[in-house]
Amino acid sequence: MNKPTITKIIKTQMETKDIKTLKFYYPGKMSPGQFFMIWIPGVDEIPMSASYINKEDKGITFKKVGAATSALFKMNKGDKIGVRGPYGNGFNIKRGKTLFIGGGTGIATITVAVEFAANKKFSSDVIIGVKNKKELFFENRLKKFINKVYVSTDDGSKGYKGFASDLTKHLLSKNKYTSVLTCGPEIMMKQILSACKDTQFQASIERYMKCSVGLCGQCCLGNGLRVCKEGPVFDGKTLKKIPEFGVYKRDASGRKIKFK
Amino acid sequence: MANLATKIASLKLDNPTILASGLMDEDAGSMKRIIDCGAGAVVTKSIGLKSRDGYPNPTVIELETGFLNAMGLPNPGIKDFEEEVKKIKQSNCVLIGSVFGSNSKEFLELGSEMQSFGADALELNMSCPHAKGYGVEIGSDSKLVKEITSCVKDSIDIPVFVKLSSNVTDIKKIAMAAEKGNADGIVAINTVKAMKIDIDIKAPILANRYGGYSGKAIKPIGVRCVFEIAESLDIPIIGVGGITTGEDALEYVMAGASAVQIGTGIYYREIDIFNKVCQEMNMWMNDNNIKKISELIGVAHK
Ligand SMILES: Cc1cc2nc3c(=O)[nH]c(=O)nc-3n(C[C@H](O)[C@H](O)[C@H](O)COP(=O)(O)OP(=O)(O)OC[C@H]3O[C@@H](n4cnc5c(N)ncnc54)[C@H](O)[C@@H]3O)c2cc1C
Ligand SMILES: Cc1cc2nc3c(=O)[nH]c(=O)nc-3n(C[C@H](O)[C@H](O)[C@H](O)COP(=O)(O)O)c2cc1C
Ligand code: FES
């Protein structure tokens, strides 16, 4: 049933100064790229991708940006949250060599996808990109599944100096990949898509969500594609036909907000 | 193949299924998808003068036999909605513009805008169960209903429908007031005011506490309302509430509806529910040797 189930936080982890992981008891199967609606009673209910997927418990990793994420940030072991889902389609992770790219908090979603590929013994490379090395997280977790983790920072404080999309272009010209899977700022993902000529492409998209079950229409893009249901992961062919991809999203009222 | 074409006032539809207001109708792309899935017409999200975010989440939850929502009339405001209406009208579909206001002046302003953008008809939302100062707070006062309807009708040329709530003592009385205000049709019903409490948290789940119940559970209430209105009115009725199958739609038609709207059914039977419901109506009509849907409107009253 699509209503929140109350569950307890069983573990918390600080990832950076303002990024935190909460793990909670929530048994069941799900795929990397799928998400939950997390209810903080009295505050809000917000969409969050899974960053840890275990049989009995799940995790979310988020940045403190506003009221809901700040309330979550203050939570400790034993505190209660409401969870519904999982929702959406998730990544289609296939055999062949995959290049994973996570930008900002998108690293959370990408890491669990890399873990899935590694468990299946699929070969993959990963790029994680942030503005400054202080914002970097999950690098050590990724190193457990993968030999080389490429890091990019806008200011060059660690790894490649520049955008993750530029490092992607560099790797695409050097190596052969079957597919590219990404989650991060939409402008970054759009640039990666245009660099992806023949390589298959999938990106996880964020839109303002309310029902998350495909009813209210709040999250729609293109010709009525529901990010909560047909997404949040879309392939390159679909995204190329959506004029607003990388251009604008809608706020809670439905007004257009341009990406900067 | 039975003839499913229907007429509501001067509005001609290829089939009687219409997308209900507030679901998959915030932008032109979504409404286009619904039309492509077989709907005879679409109603826009209810639009007001200024943009509104609506209530915080949780705004929608599922219950045993339906959904509970308190969206709080989120909308981008009539100015920003112009491009969506113009875009969807390029595809030559029948578009009904839903608007909400707190008095006749606001309803009139919104209605005039919708008409100028190219809407084929207007739906006046006087029935939202959970927005302060709007909706059923207006739609339970028959004097106000008549006043607003006639004010809008006086200056607007496209057909005007009034959407009513079952959360009143006597829905016939309200419908009659709309008819006296020269409404071209009645839409019934909006969601039914309801609540869900989480016993672990010991508090209502919806951020607004109260919400509106939709889906299967409210169908008997909707059918009863349409039946009652049909008994006392001459103008056409659009039936809405809990329709998921062709049989459900036929029930509304027999109660007196000339067309039906479908909202929550999208969850139970996916977006092409409009095609499915039409197919099922067609099958039933063939089996029962009915040639035209109009033969069935109000037959349950005999
Ligand atoms: C499918 C999906 C998966 C996500 N996964 C993650 C994740 O793994 N880690 C992470 O840090 N963030 C994730 N987000 C973003 C996260 O939902 C927002 O950061 C969060 O809602 C902000 O809420 P707030 O009250 O703290 O901030 P606010 O001040 O309310 O808003 C900050 C920003 O978050 C957006 N936002 C607020 N409410 C919603 C909502 N209901 N739906 C979508 N966006 C909203 C606002 O539009 C604004 O851009 C995901 C979003 C989506 C759609
Ligand atoms: C998520 C949601 C949003 C709605 N928004 C509106 C709205 O903006 N205006 C309106 O007149 N009715 C609105 N309604 C009510 C529907 O149009 C319809 O009257 C009601 O849901 C009953 O029909 P159903 O059971 O087929 O959903 C909304 C219903 C739902 C579930
Ligand atoms: S959030 Fe309601 S349709 Fe996607």
Side-chain angles (χ1 to χ4, degrees):
Chain A
M1 183 105 33
N2 293 293
K3 68 173 169 31
T5 301
I6 303 301
T7 184
K8 272 190 186 148
I9 292 162
I10 51 180
K11 193 172 179 231
T12 68
Q13 252 160 243
M14 289 299 289
E15 310 294 355
T16 72
K17 178 169 105 308
D18 54 10
I19 296 179
K20 188 170 177 174
T21 296
L22 301 180
K23 291 186 182 170
F24 47 88
Y25 176 74
Y26 199 74
K29 278 194 179 162
M30 70 183 292
S31 313
Q34 286 192 297
F35 68 95
F36 300 112
M37 288 301 283
I38 303 287
W39 179 37
I40 311 112
V43 183
D44 203 346
E45 185 190 41
I46 54 169
M48 278 286 148
S49 300
S51 62
Y52 286 88
I53 301 177
N54 298 312
K55 227 176 170 171
E56 295 294 315
D57 58 274
K58 307 287 178 283
I60 52 172
T61 302
F62 55 90
K63 187 172 179 171
K64 186 166 79 174
V65 292
T69 46
S70 299
L72 278 177
F73 203 82
K74 288 200 201 102
M75 290 199 169
N76 294 308
K77 189 175 161 183
D79 286 341
K80 285 181 187 169
I81 52 170
V83 182
R84 60 185 176 101
Y87 293 119
N89 54 357
F91 285 108
N92 182 3
I93 302 167
K94 289 177 288 195
R95 209 170 291 281
K97 192 163 183 175
T98 302
L99 175 60
F100 291 93
I101 307 122
T105 51
I107 295 171
T109 318
I110 278 301
T111 300
V112 75
V114 173
E115 182 178 13
F116 178 93
N119 285 338
K120 296 247 174 194
K121 308 248 177 331
F122 297 167
S123 103
S124 39
D125 283 344
V126 61
I127 299 174
I128 50 176
V130 289
K131 291 199 179 81
N132 172 282
K133 69 172 183 202
K134 286 190 192 132
E135 298 166 18
L136 211 54
F137 65 101
F138 282 175
E139 188 186 0
N140 290 332
R141 184 177 161 205
L142 280 164
K143 280 184 177 158
K144 284 188 214 150
F145 331 121
I146 214 166
N147 295 329
K148 175 132 183 65
V149 175
Y150 295 90
V151 172
S152 75
T153 51
D154 296 359
D155 63 0
S157 48
K158 185 165 184 179
Y160 175 89
K161 180 177 193 295
F163 295 133
S165 49
D166 294 329
L167 179 53
T168 304
K169 282 178 200 158
H170 179 67
L171 286 188
L172 281 172
S173 68
K174 243 178 46 184
N175 306 330
K176 183 104 187 92
Y177 295 100
T178 328
S179 55
V180 164
L181 267 55
T182 179
C183 181
E186 211 160 300
I187 291 180
M188 172 195 96
M189 299 196 288
K190 188 165 183 165
Q191 297 210 332
I192 294 173
L193 173 61
S194 60
C196 263
K197 305 198 175 61
D198 299 324
T199 321
Q200 291 170 40
F201 176 90
Q202 292 172 40
S204 176
I205 308 292
E206 284 186 10
R207 282 295 179 272
Y208 204 99
M209 288 187 183
K210 288 182 178 173
C211 74
S212 289
V213 296
L215 266 182
C216 71
Q218 169 72 46
C219 67
C220 288
L221 43 80
N223 263 349
L225 284 174
R226 295 163 296 183
V227 174
C228 70
K229 196 153 168 116
E230 283 92 24
V233 178
F234 293 100
D235 63 20
K237 234 175 100 189
T238 308
L239 289 170
K240 277 184 181 150
K241 281 187 262 170
I242 298 176
E244 69 244 49
F245 174 56
V247 180
Y248 67 83
K249 58 179 183 176
R250 289 178 194 271
D251 67 9
S253 77
R255 268 185 311 179
K256 293 178 180 175
I257 311 270
K258 282 218 159 74
F259 287 114
K260 282 188 271 247
Chain B
M1 179 84 191
N3 184 353
L4 290 181
T6 190
K7 237 181 113 188
I8 321 153
S10 60
L11 215 60
K12 289 192 186 110
L13 308 188
D14 292 340
N15 75 65
T17 65
I18 304 172
L19 171 71
S21 178
L23 304 102
M24 296 287 294
D25 53 4
E26 182 176 289
D27 67 297
S30 309
M31 291 186 272
K32 176 79 172 61
R33 185 168 178 198
I34 298 285
I35 289 288
D36 292 343
C37 284
V42 291
V43 185
T44 68
K45 194 179 218 25
S46 292
I47 304 294
L49 285 174
K50 290 202 190 87
S51 84
R52 272 169 74 103
D53 284 348
Y55 300 127
N57 285 342
T59 45
V60 182
I61 52 168
E62 189 183 3
L63 302 179
E64 285 71 18
T65 44
F67 275 81
L68 192 58
N69 92 81
M71 307 306 292
L73 296 170
N75 79 96
I78 190 78
K79 290 272 172 314
D80 279 44
F81 203 63
E82 174 171 2
E83 61 169 301
E84 307 297 338
V85 176
K86 291 198 163 150
K87 209 164 138 199
I88 183 72
K89 277 306 293 173
Q90 284 167 9
S91 67
N92 205 19
C93 62
V94 179
L95 181 92
I96 303 169
S98 171
V99 295
F100 72 92
S102 55
N103 55 50
S104 36
K105 193 169 151 269
E106 287 185 16
F107 271 104
L108 177 59
E109 189 177 340
L110 290 158
S112 314
E113 293 277 29
M114 275 289 183
Q115 173 172 274
S116 73
F117 301 162
D120 299 288
L122 269 188
E123 186 174 289
L124 310 181
N125 178 355
M126 301 197 199
S127 44
C128 179
H130 52 63
K132 239 195 134 14
Y134 299 106
V136 70
E137 289 192 15
I138 290 163
S140 50
D141 179 338
S142 45
K143 241 180 75 194
L144 260 180
V145 170
K146 179 173 170 239
E147 179 198 310
I148 292 169
T149 312
S150 70
C151 168
V152 173
K153 271 300 290 179
D154 281 350
S155 333
I156 293 229
D157 305 317
I158 53 176
V160 175
F161 308 137
V162 178
K163 184 167 177 184
L164 298 182
S165 165
S166 61
N167 288 117
V168 292
T169 323
D170 185 1
I171 196 166
K172 284 192 306 270
K173 207 173 118 197
I174 309 288
M176 265 143 74
E179 188 179 42
K180 283 204 194 97
N182 289 322
D184 297 286
I186 301 289
V187 183
I189 54 173
N190 208 312
T191 53
V192 179
K193 196 171 182 181
M195 180 182 275
K196 169 73 189 171
I197 290 171
D198 184 284
I199 59 169
D200 290 326
I201 297 294
K202 304 181 183 72
I205 298 181
L206 293 180
N208 185 54
R209 294 163 38 233
Y210 300 99
Y213 203 12
S214 65
K216 294 175 188 181
I218 70 164
K219 196 188 76 183
I221 304 174
V223 171
R224 182 268 296 174
C225 288
V226 168
F227 192 95
E228 281 191 335
I229 296 166
E231 269 186 326
S232 26
L233 259 65
D234 294 321
I235 53 175
I237 305 163
I238 302 174
V240 46
I243 296 173
T244 60
T245 65
E247 288 75 11
D248 294 340
L250 287 166
E251 234 187 284
Y252 270 100
V253 170
M254 292 183 192
S258 301
V260 295
Q261 293 181 356
I262 297 173
T264 309
I266 291 172
Y267 174 80
Y268 298 104
R269 300 194 67 195
E270 257 309 313
I271 292 190
D272 62 347
I273 183 170
F274 300 92
N275 277 326
K276 290 174 183 158
V277 165
C278 286
Q279 272 165 24
E280 288 155 4
M281 291 176 88
N282 182 49
M283 231 152 54
W284 188 93
M285 287 164 66
N286 285 341
D287 289 350
N288 290 274
N289 208 16
I290 306 283
K291 301 265 173 310
K292 292 193 297 211
I293 191 82
S294 52
E295 292 172 40
L296 292 173
I297 298 172
V299 291
H301 289 268
K302 284 191 195 110

